[in-house]
Amino acid sequence: LPSRDVVSQRDWRYIVLGTFFVTFVGPALFLRSLLLMPLGIAATLSCLGPLYEPAIARVVRGTTPDPRAVAGAICAFLGVGALCL
């Protein structure tokens, strides 16, 4: 049996794919959104990451979302929304 410390080819595919999305596709889509919508809306939408992170952590790792983290994410989102108005 292989050691758990060894990274398989399948793992490397996920690493490369994740790196591609995080370093290229995400910023490219955000810059494109700046051209297509008002700055306030684009800035507010860019703050959605903390909102869906607890759900993704629950699905991927099976962890329970921390209510304080969810409340903080919502406060940050509402704060950016208020600044944009």
Side-chain angles (χ1 to χ4, degrees):
L1 292 173
S3 171
R4 291 202 135 290
D5 295 337
V6 176
V7 180
S8 68
Q9 281 188 335
R10 180 175 168 225
D11 293 336
W12 277 113
R13 283 189 218 131
Y14 287 130
I15 291 169
V16 170
L17 187 64
T19 302
F20 174 73
F21 278 107
V22 169
T23 59
F24 177 72
V25 175
L29 290 175
F30 177 67
L31 291 174
R32 182 70 178 150
S33 72
L34 289 175
L35 297 173
L36 298 176
M37 64 179 69
L39 177 62
I41 294 172
T44 304
L45 290 176
S46 72
C47 295
L48 288 176
L51 292 177
Y52 60 78
E53 189 277 331
I56 290 175
R58 180 166 179 99
V59 170
V60 173
R61 291 182 290 193
T63 59
T64 304
D66 182 22
R68 291 184 301 165
V70 174
I74 291 171
C75 287
F77 179 75
L78 292 175
V80 172
L83 287 174
C84 293
L85 298 176

